[in-house]
Amino acid sequence: MEKQLLKKNLTLIKNGKIVGVIDFMTNQQDVGSHQGPPRHGIIYDEEPVYDIYKENLMRFTTADRLKILFTMTPTRGISWVWTEIFKKGFR
């Protein structure tokens, strides 16, 4: 993947002050590229690789709360998302 495509972000500014940053990342990136600052929310629009999901969870260790939204189509059938997230959530 070309270097300039590895990380893209959008900085949100209100009244001249940075109020948030949105990072756009993909499954094609290595797990290490998902390391970084604390996160307050993550939205998956494609099924994440399990190692990337676990790395993203580490971004919440210093956040007050955890917000993760899955809006993906399960193109791989029943995968880790079903057994690790949805099935455990329905107990």
Side-chain angles (χ1 to χ4, degrees), residues 1 15 19 30 33-38 46 48 72 76:
M1 183 173 284
N15 298 327
V19 295
D30 63 280
S33 66
H34 288 260
Q35 296 172 347
E46 60 184 50
M72 57 181 216
R76 300 179 189 150

Side-chain angles (χ1 to χ4, degrees), residues 64-79:
D64 293 336
R65 60 184 169 164
L66 171 75
K67 288 185 185 178
I68 298 178
L69 178 63
F70 290 86
T71 62
M72 57 181 216
T73 301
T75 56
R76 300 179 189 150
I78 295 177
S79 67

